[in-house]
Amino acid sequence: WQRRHRWLEGAPAAFTALTLVAVAVGGIVEYVPLAAFKSNIPAIASVKPYTPLELEGRDIYIREGCYNCHSQMVRPFRDEVLRYGEHSKPGEFVYDRPFQFGSKRTGPDLHRVGGKYPHFWHLRHMSDPKSTSSESIMPAYPWLEQRDLDTSLTQKKLSVLRRMGAPYAPEVNAAGELQSQAQSIVGELQKQGAPVAAETARKEIIALIAYLQRLGTDIKRGMQ
């Protein structure tokens, strides 16, 4: 073995070739068993793809870097379940591209935040985090209430995700569904006492609220 080791050290080209062969064989051995099955992740019937508005809200969440401080992965530990709720299941992430597991928690995990607070809470929290959480170190995002949501690519996003396996109907009217859900959220905000006008339905904050309110609700619905 010592002589072979010295031979490999003295033959970099041969060593590189053998390394590439080993990596290729290892990659095939890992990939083929997974590809042989339609899915290696247990399906959860109640898990559905995001609506057009929630999908746009998710893109805003990613754009603003929310994943840098918030994870979306409740681990199966007693302390985490007691604080955040039911631990996360693999089947809940089948339509997350890319996933938002996160790598640190400067702020709390958000995978079960859907339905935990009313829409108005999220509206205030994004505008002034200290108004809802006095010790929060989270920055404010006031521009989300000022910017109009860009929906020019929404239909194309659904088309791409459909090719990747998301069960969106080919005839889905992304703009119509998005507008309807946005107006519904604004209506609920008004009932909750939020000083918002009908035009707020066009703003980015509404899409983000829609996304946050969706998180973790599929599994809850399936357990009812």
Side-chain angles (χ1 to χ4, degrees):
W1 285 106
Q2 190 174 16
R3 282 186 298 175
R4 292 179 182 177
H5 182 73
R6 289 180 177 175
W7 177 81
L8 285 173
E9 286 184 335
F15 182 73
T16 300
L18 291 173
T19 300
L20 291 174
V21 171
V23 170
V25 172
I28 294 172
V29 169
E30 288 188 352
Y31 175 75
V32 171
L34 296 177
F37 296 96
K38 182 178 181 181
S39 175
N40 64 319
I41 300 176
I44 301 176
S46 59
V47 174
K48 307 297 181 184
Y50 297 108
T51 66
L53 184 64
E54 293 162 357
L55 190 64
E56 292 294 349
R58 186 175 188 275
D59 285 348
I60 293 172
Y61 180 95
I62 295 172
R63 184 195 73 194
E64 298 297 341
C66 302
Y67 55 86
N68 288 313
C69 294
H70 296 281
S71 62
Q72 288 188 32
M73 169 62 78
V74 182
R75 297 174 294 181
F77 302 144
R78 180 175 174 78
D79 60 326
E80 294 206 7
V81 172
L82 287 175
R83 181 177 182 183
Y84 300 119
E86 181 71 15
H87 67 84
S88 302
K89 312 294 191 300
E92 294 183 80
F93 301 99
V94 293
Y95 302 122
D96 277 336
R97 300 176 184 275
F99 62 79
Q100 297 299 301
F101 297 161
S103 59
K104 67 189 299 255
R105 288 176 180 160
T106 301
D109 187 276
L110 298 180
H111 198 216
R112 300 291 180 221
V113 75
K116 185 176 182 179
Y117 306 105
H119 297 334
F120 194 7
W121 187 95
H122 288 288
L123 184 72
R124 293 171 56 204
H125 186 66
M126 298 306 298
S127 177
D128 179 14
K130 289 186 180 297
S131 68
T132 57
S133 306
S134 60
E135 297 182 0
S136 175
I137 60 172
M138 173 177 158
Y141 294 82
W143 55 86
L144 298 180
E145 294 184 53
Q146 302 165 6
R147 292 181 179 175
D148 285 341
L149 180 65
D150 182 2
T151 60
S152 60
L153 297 176
T154 307
Q155 194 74 46
K156 291 183 178 179
K157 290 179 183 179
L158 265 62
S159 178
V160 171
L161 290 172
R162 185 168 58 248
R163 294 180 183 177
M164 299 175 73
Y168 289 112
E171 66 277 5
V172 64
N173 180 0
E177 289 191 12
L178 185 150
Q179 184 178 19
S180 177
Q181 186 177 6
Q183 291 173 343
S184 175
I185 291 176
V186 169
E188 292 182 37
L189 280 168
Q190 292 172 336
K191 291 179 181 178
Q192 294 166 12
V196 296
E199 292 75 18
T200 307
R202 299 196 301 266
K203 304 303 180 180
E204 290 185 341
I205 185 62
I206 301 302
L208 183 60
I209 290 174
Y211 172 65
L212 293 173
Q213 293 288 41
R214 174 66 183 277
L215 293 179
T217 59
D218 283 356
I219 194 72
K220 295 177 185 176
R221 185 168 54 250
M223 295 173 65
Q224 292 177 349

